[in-house]
Amino acid sequence: QVVDEILKLNEDPNVQGLALDLPESAYSSKVLNAVKPEKDVDGLSDVNLGCLIRGDAFGCLVSPTACAVMEVLENLDGKKVLMVGASGALGASLQCLLHRRGAMTMSCHWKSPQLQNKLHQADVVVVGSTKCEEIPVSWIKPGTIVINCSPGFHSEKHLGQQNSHPIENDVCSLAIAMRMQNMVKSLERWIQSQQYRKWDLRCLKLQPLSPVPSDIEISRAQSPKAVDVLAKEIGLLTDEIEIYGQTKAKVRLSLLERLKDQPDGKYVLVAGITPTPLGEGKSTVTIGLVQALTAHLNINSFACLRQPSQGPTFGVKGGAAGGGYAQVIPMEEFNLHLTGDIHAITAANNLLAAAIDARILHENTQSDKALYNRLVPVVNGVRGFSAIQLARLRRLRINKTDPNTLTEEEISKFVRLDIDPSTITWQRVVDTNDRFLRKITIGQANTEKGFVRQAQFDIAVASEIMAILALTSSLADMKERLGKMVVANDKKGQPVTAEDLGVTGALAVLMKDAIKPTLMQTLEGTPVFVHAGPFANIAHGNSSVLADKIALKLVGEKGFVVTEAGFGADIGMEKFFNIKCRASGLVPSVVVLVATVRALKMHGGGPNVTAGAPLKKEYTEENLQLVADGCCNLQKQIQIAQLFGVPVVVALNVFKTDSPAEVDLVCEIAKRSGAFDAVPCNHWSAGGRGAVKLAQAVEKAASQKNSFKYLYNLELPIVEKIRIIAQKVYGAQDIELSPAAQSQVDRYSRQGFGNLPICMAKTHLSLSHQPERKGVPTGFILPISDVRASIGAGFIYPLVGTMSTMPGLPTRPCFYDIDLDPATEQVKGLF
């Protein structure tokens, strides 16, 4: 029981010191070492004692009794000090402190046959425990100082009453004062620990090989630091992390309160030109940049990345841990499950979907009275509303708390949501590319009593709950957003929310751990946050606000946080500025725009690039004309970034097939087009060393004057905001809304949702809605086929053309190459 109570107090953030007042027999090693060393004001734990003996008295708490003894003793050099009955931690502490003051120490217990002889030799006697029998005064030589450390010891009785023996009756009162001093010391240390601390980061050495091995071989060749070590190096406290295995840890949001007065670092966004289906390496650039900043320029930096969906991991694209010598490790843990956030989102999303259909079924098959009796049952003879039901009553303006007082009309209003099945927008999700779930029929079993409707599955990362996770600012904010999610309309055209269904609290419970960012590391041992993973074509495509905010505090005022926006700047970056920055209030310092010669050749008229197929010779041989023609897309993306008033640094991700002339041409055109700088990068093959020039350019750009602004005013009508994005960002001539889309716009405006930002669901393979149109298409009309709303996340999302929210598997998915070695449990074939 004593140990259990100590363990509780150890974890109490309001207790900074723990003093034990127990019977002497209760001071076992188990009890003493149960106290956290930093709270051990008695200085009796093995850790504190070990630090003292090792010579680190400043870094530990020393026994108050031992300190009291030393306080009353002077001129100990060469004197003999006998400790009687002072054993254990007290005896060890005294012996250590006395030796440091030049004393020669002896010790014995009360029944020792050598006690008389040792007492006669001693200049100082320290009594550590009670002895009942009287000690003859003749055993002690005249002038001996006797110090009593035992509260039950009376020196007059035990050591005689001769005045020739100067006796310090006891130091117990002084020991109490010393214990209070330790209390103050413990509290001071706690206060100091709450302040921002400079990083003490040990970077990992890289030895790049040529040719560059596979990503997984590189990842496995590096030994990552234990995540608790990394956390300590960057100033995280022990109680701010929750460790998952050896290399991952969740970081608690309490850090934001602790460091609320710490200035933020610089905020860098990595975006890209319109990519090929192979991707152009934004994640790799992000990681290479932070490795260069921290491991090579000694500047604090943090990468904030999205968690990859298992859809692409087992489909076409592969993982999102970066690649080559610029990646997050262990990469298989990064790409597979991580800490289960996407699974939590899937569970929460599908619980809500189940609640919708179950509620419709029950309302269709039960009377008002039967529904009421089941929704508000009598439990142990008492009928009462739950908290979420009371909130619904308040929204209905029924100001009653006693279930027995509702009228029949009020009962009917309370129990019936009257969901119109044709207006349900909430879909089930799964984190797998499964094209056959794009359109399904549910409710076909006899038990569903004929309630059949067409529905669909989306991929998990397209869930509004994922968007909420990425945009929320706190647990309370997340719960509020979850409750606001509109899942359908009732038969009167009014929105039905998760709060109306009574499921908000349950959703928050499922998401309570997912809200915490996951800490990992790069190949060079620099910190990475992995958190949230919305796609950029069908969602807003950015990692979480919370990860960015925590990282900005941890890096310090001169540090850098580098985050990534999905796909091209026209999609991910535009949403980063107009949606994420509005939600966070954060202002970006620099945009890093990633380009490749390969993608520019495609935009210049090169042949189609297909995932899994070899590149045509146009992409592997020098062709300056193709590159020059394709730079129109790079120029357009630079112009898009400039619409927001943020300086742009172009990072040219260099491949071995790129010629020096092609690289120089791209950098020259980029600078002429308004980029602050343009830098070729070789981080894929060289690690952080290959991105040092990029890091230096970013550091310089971040010191430039920033005139950040949003693209549109939220007060504008929904259609006008869509038009501004289409014309200014995509280069469209105009937009065209289908009748269904216009109807939805009118409905959302009537329902009061017209002042939300816009999240366009559009192909990432072109600035237009047609994936085959490369370069910079002009003169096109952007078709808006439908408009939906993520009210909890806080945006309206128009669907451009025929956007699918469930990817499919190709003929030869990545899973053909993925395997597990049953002997070593190592994953094979993962990139």
Side-chain angles (χ1 to χ4, degrees), residues 219-482:
S219 176
R220 290 210 179 119
Q222 184 65 287
S223 297
K225 293 178 280 191
V227 72
D228 58 329
V229 173
L230 173 64
K232 186 175 181 181
E233 289 177 343
I234 61 174
L236 286 164
L237 306 182
T238 305
D239 61 1
E240 289 174 339
I241 61 170
E242 298 169 5
I243 295 175
Y244 284 63
Q246 296 181 333
T247 55
K248 306 185 295 287
K250 286 284 193 183
V251 175
R252 293 177 178 165
L253 308 188
S254 57
L255 178 143
L256 285 171
E257 177 62 25
R258 175 170 70 87
L259 297 181
K260 63 183 177 182
D261 297 325
Q262 167 67 21
D264 288 347
K266 303 290 187 182
Y267 197 26
V268 179
L269 175 69
V270 176
I273 64 170
T274 305
T276 68
L278 306 177
E280 308 317 307
K282 290 190 306 300
S283 299
T284 311
V285 169
T286 300
I287 297 157
L289 175 55
V290 294
Q291 288 181 178
L293 282 165
T294 301
H296 298 272
L297 298 180
N298 199 30
I299 298 170
N300 290 355
S301 71
F302 231 111
C304 291
L305 300 178
R306 290 174 294 163
Q307 179 184 353
S309 163
Q310 286 181 182
T313 298
F314 291 101
V316 174
K317 186 174 179 289
Y325 286 100
Q327 54 174 304
V328 181
I329 56 171
M331 62 92 75
E332 59 266 53
E333 292 189 27
F334 177 93
N335 286 303
L336 300 173
H337 305 296
L338 197 65
T339 47
D341 294 356
I342 292 180
H343 301 313
I345 289 164
T346 302
N349 184 100
N350 293 344
L351 175 63
L352 179 53
I356 296 165
D357 289 314
R359 185 59 175 261
I360 294 173
L361 172 68
H362 294 313
E363 288 189 24
N364 284 345
T365 56
Q366 297 180 51
S367 66
D368 290 353
K369 182 178 180 181
L371 278 170
Y372 193 60
N373 288 338
R374 286 176 170 84
L375 288 171
V376 194
V378 176
V379 180
N380 296 326
V382 179
R383 171 180 272 188
F385 293 116
S386 68
I388 202 163
Q389 289 176 328
L390 288 169
R392 173 163 167 75
L393 287 169
R394 288 192 293 272
R395 289 196 303 279
L396 294 171
R397 297 182 181 176
I398 300 173
N399 298 314
K400 295 179 180 179
T401 57
D402 183 352
N404 299 311
T405 62
L406 267 65
T407 66
E408 287 186 7
E409 182 184 357
E410 289 170 339
I411 287 173
S412 183
K413 285 176 67 177
F414 173 74
V415 300
R416 296 211 173 268
L417 298 180
D418 278 333
I419 295 171
D420 181 352
S422 68
T423 66
I424 294 173
T425 55
W426 194 264
Q427 310 298 345
R428 288 165 173 82
V429 299
V430 64
D431 196 31
T432 303
N433 288 4
D434 191 345
R435 66 176 67 245
F436 283 91
L437 294 178
R438 289 171 178 168
K439 192 172 186 179
I440 60 171
T441 303
I442 62 171
Q444 295 188 69
N446 292 333
T447 50
E448 275 50 74
K449 302 176 182 179
F451 173 58
V452 178
R453 70 179 181 91
Q454 281 196 342
Q456 69 183 59
F457 270 77
D458 294 337
I459 194 155
V461 292
S463 170
E464 182 177 352
I465 296 177
M466 174 62 88
I468 287 173
L469 178 67
L471 292 170
T472 193
S473 59
S474 67
L475 199 53
D477 177 61
M478 182 178 73
K479 186 177 175 183
E480 183 181 347
R481 287 172 179 267
L482 290 171

Side-chain angles (χ1 to χ4, degrees), residues 588-645:
S589 308
V590 184
V591 168
V592 173
L593 193 63
V594 179
T596 62
V597 168
R598 175 180 69 194
L600 293 172
K601 286 180 175 179
M602 178 189 73
H603 289 297
N608 287 338
V609 176
T610 305
L615 289 170
K616 301 286 196 306
K617 65 180 180 62
E618 287 85 349
Y619 296 104
T620 57
E621 298 175 1
E622 184 179 284
N623 191 323
L624 296 177
Q625 189 59 52
L626 268 185
V627 173
D629 292 345
C631 277
C632 61
N633 187 272
L634 173 61
Q635 291 170 312
K636 173 64 176 173
Q637 303 286 11
I638 292 171
Q639 290 166 12
I640 294 170
Q642 290 173 333
L643 289 173
F644 297 92

